[in-house]
Amino acid sequence: MIYRRYTMPSIWEEMNRMQREMERLMQAFLPETGRVSTVFPAINAWTNDEAEIVTVEVPGVDPKDLDISVVNDVLTISGERKPEDPKDDIRYHRRERVCGKFSRSIQLAFPVNADKVTASYENGILKIVLPRAEADKPRKITVKSA
Amino acid sequence: MAEETKSIEIKKETPLAEEKTERIRERRVYLPRTDIYETRDDLVLVMDLPGVDEKNVDIMLEKNVLTIKAYPTFERPENYTLAYAEYGEGDFERSFALSDEIDREHIEARVKNGTLYLRLPKAGAAKPTKIAVKAG
């Protein structure tokens, strides 16, 4: 699935943010459902003119089990979360964490230079830095006086 | 790593006061997703705490209430604007009432890859004992 981002006026962005917060709060107040319905993994994206930074919440996923690929302006993150105790004789009281294989694609704000993409992993958060493709960078045009 | 308060007498007003106290840090508080399961000897709790390492998690066991509080580090890249967000900045907090007797001396807690793994061994009385049936 590709999540398309639209450029929105700031008021809509703010309202969207509030809506997301409300959803998160609602889920927090319903511990029985325990935020299970939301997609895994959750993604945040930061941009400027030069690059895009994507952070992904992947707690409990071994960095070795993570796979990142970039094609033009689509970033795909896939991997597998393995259970802590892969034993049979365990009896679950609560099961809110989803284990198994996952894959998500997001559309980036601009085409990126795939050779210069870097990724780091710390405490269950994956951070991917994607520099913008040279050809796509905004250029300053000087106006000559006649 | 694991802090525990052993059988402290709770005064009558304590629970009420706790409910009414406000947090100092102005941050949202999220309920972390948790798996709780039982093996033959232990009660195991696995909790998703992205952005948390062993230094910023507090585990408290008071009477039979287990409380986990975690304060993740949230990185905001400089000179970047947030363009898309599915997760927010905030702390994690969750409490559980434990029913089984827990061997408080041997609780084991570790944090790895943003996941808390808490092993609470069952005390002798709560452990299943096999009763041998004799013929006769």
Side-chain angles (χ1 to χ4, degrees), chain A residues 58-85:
Chain A
V58 277
V61 180
D62 196 295
K64 287 194 288 290
D65 296 328
L66 278 169
D67 201 39
I68 305 154
S69 67
V70 186
V71 179
N72 292 325
D73 64 344
V74 176
L75 170 74
T76 304
I77 300 143
S78 52
E80 188 180 0
R81 177 149 82 163
K82 288 170 181 156
E84 284 289 327
D85 277 320

Side-chain angles (χ1 to χ4, degrees), chain B:
Chain B
M1 214 187 301
E3 273 184 57
E4 51 171 306
T5 326
K6 265 182 263 172
S7 53
I8 288 170
E9 277 300 309
I10 302 172
K11 285 172 199 157
K12 265 186 183 170
E13 60 269 22
T14 313
L16 210 131
E18 244 170 43
E19 267 171 45
K20 290 203 173 160
T21 46
E22 276 188 45
R23 292 158 46 84
I24 293 168
R25 282 152 69 93
E26 203 197 322
R27 257 182 134 183
R28 286 184 184 83
V29 181
Y30 297 120
L31 270 183
R33 285 192 200 176
T34 309
D35 280 355
I36 301 174
Y37 53 83
E38 217 178 304
T39 63
R40 202 180 155 274
D41 302 317
D42 312 300
L43 185 72
V44 182
L45 204 135
V46 184
M47 195 177 256
D48 279 348
L49 301 171
V52 172
D53 63 14
E54 68 281 357
K55 289 186 282 293
N56 44 28
V57 60
D58 285 336
I59 306 163
M60 241 128 35
L61 180 60
E62 198 166 314
K63 291 246 162 155
N64 65 338
V65 179
L66 177 75
T67 307
I68 292 130
K69 291 180 184 177
Y71 313 99
T73 43
F74 190 87
E75 195 200 351
R76 288 191 199 143
E78 259 180 68
N79 304 322
Y80 281 83
T81 45
L82 185 63
Y84 179 72
E86 287 175 355
Y87 68 90
E89 179 179 356
D91 295 336
F92 293 110
E93 225 176 280
R94 201 159 175 184
S95 298
F96 295 100
L98 303 172
S99 51
D100 282 337
E101 273 304 314
I102 297 299
D103 176 4
R104 285 155 186 259
E105 304 294 326
H106 297 99
I107 295 173
E108 181 197 316
R110 61 182 156 87
V111 177
K112 195 193 169 196
N113 294 342
T115 303
L116 170 74
Y117 181 91
L118 198 64
R119 199 175 62 86
L120 307 134
K122 291 182 203 168
K127 246 189 215 177
T129 28
K130 203 174 178 185
I131 297 151
V133 182
K134 281 178 198 161

Side-chain angles (χ1 to χ4, degrees), chain A residues 10-133:
Chain A
S10 60
I11 175 81
W12 295 114
E13 228 165 292
E14 182 62 17
M15 279 177 76
N16 257 15
R17 192 192 63 78
M18 279 166 68
Q19 191 187 354
R20 278 194 303 270
E21 282 305 333
M22 283 303 286
E23 276 165 17
R24 266 186 93 104
L25 275 173
M26 292 301 278
Q27 277 162 351
F29 280 122
L30 297 166
E32 297 312 313
T33 55
R35 290 165 57 178
V36 185
S37 56
T38 49
V39 282
F40 183 87
I43 291 171
N44 278 7
W46 304 75
T47 50
N48 67 11
D49 284 345
E50 299 289 314
E52 176 155 357
I53 294 178
V54 174
T55 54
V56 192
E57 275 190 340
V58 277
V61 180
D62 196 295
K64 287 194 288 290
D65 296 328
L66 278 169
D67 201 39
I68 305 154
S69 67
V70 186
V71 179
N72 292 325
D73 64 344
V74 176
L75 170 74
T76 304
I77 300 143
S78 52
E80 188 180 0
R81 177 149 82 163
K82 288 170 181 156
E84 284 289 327
D85 277 320
K87 283 182 235 145
D88 297 327
D89 61 337
I90 58 175
R91 194 157 54 89
Y92 275 96
H93 293 291
R94 235 169 237 266
R95 201 168 191 176
E96 297 164 2
R97 300 168 68 250
V98 194
C99 282
K101 287 195 170 118
F102 61 84
S103 179
R104 278 198 75 184
S105 297
I106 64 156
Q107 186 176 29
L108 303 166
F110 34 71
V112 294
N113 186 347
D115 297 331
K116 288 198 176 149
V117 173
T118 53
S120 56
Y121 182 91
E122 197 186 6
N123 299 328
I125 295 187
L126 172 71
K127 181 182 167 189
I128 310 162
V129 182
L130 308 116
R132 192 169 187 168

